[in-house]
């Protein structure tokens, strides 16, 4: 049985790990973000439904390489011995259209061996597409066709990025 003091220490360490992840994100240090992840991490969000291991770090590196005006803020970091959560906001210009985006994201984490083993980001893809794609995203961004196209294009971009790296 884990003692209460050990749980508190683990919770504090996990909160610090989440803080390190987002500090690295704001500083545009993809390597620092990747170092917060367990080698077998599983990441998912509405655009990238399942990235495993190094794919997750490569996705962040790709997004950071494309972002010219990224601003990240994080709040409400909550952790315990096994799990954590945070709210974060990304403000940037979408690289393909140069349109401004304010994306509000809820993150959930699971920890293993002092690292993030599971990271799930949740946000409204329709709201994102309306901002990033403009009128087409507003009118059609809720449809499976448009959301599927967003996912396919993102996966292709990640694949091309990983080939170059």
């Amino acid at each position: 049985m884990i003692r209460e003091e050990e749980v508190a220490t683990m919770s504090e360490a996990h909160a610090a790990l989440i803080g390190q992840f987002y500090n690295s994100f704001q500083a545009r240090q993809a390597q620092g973000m990747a170092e917060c992840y367990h080698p077998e991490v599983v990441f998912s969000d509405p655009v990238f439904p399942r990235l495993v291991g190094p794919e997750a770090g490569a996705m962040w590196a790709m997004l950071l390489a494309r972002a010219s005006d990224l601003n990240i803020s994080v709040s409400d970091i909550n952790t315990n011995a096994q799990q954590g959560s945070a709210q974060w906001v990304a403000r940037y210009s979408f690289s393909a259209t140069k349109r401004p985006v304010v994306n509000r994201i809820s993150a959930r984490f699971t920890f293993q061996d002092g690292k993030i083993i599971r990271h799930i980001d949740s946000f409204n893809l329709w709201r994102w597409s309306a901002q990033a794609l403009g009128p087409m995203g507003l009118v059609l961004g809720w449809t499976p066709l448009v959301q599927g196209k967003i996912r396919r294009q993102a996966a292709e971009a990640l694949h091309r990025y990983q080939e170059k790296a």
Side-chain angles (χ1 to χ4, degrees), residues 20-94:
Q20 176 186 341
F21 180 85
Y22 288 108
N23 286 339
S24 294
F25 198 174
Q26 179 60 34
R28 298 172 182 249
Q29 297 172 345
Q31 184 61 38
M33 296 172 75
E35 289 171 1
C36 297
Y37 281 155
H38 188 282
E40 298 173 17
V41 67
V42 176
F43 172 87
S44 71
D45 75 4
V47 175
F48 295 96
R50 183 174 170 83
L51 300 176
V52 179
E55 289 178 319
M59 182 263 310
W60 293 119
M62 177 187 74
L63 294 178
L64 287 172
R66 291 177 162 189
S68 61
D69 60 352
L70 177 67
N71 183 284
I72 300 295
S73 60
V74 64
S75 63
D76 301 326
I77 296 174
N78 293 298
T79 59
N80 62 32
Q82 292 87 26
Q83 299 180 332
S85 63
Q87 302 299 311
W88 64 283
V89 179
R91 292 176 174 82
Y92 59 96
S93 297
F94 181 56

Side-chain angles (χ1 to χ4, degrees), residues 121-134:
D121 277 349
S122 300
F123 60 88
N124 185 315
L125 186 54
W126 181 19
R127 187 175 301 131
W128 178 89
S129 68
Q131 294 176 74
L133 305 176

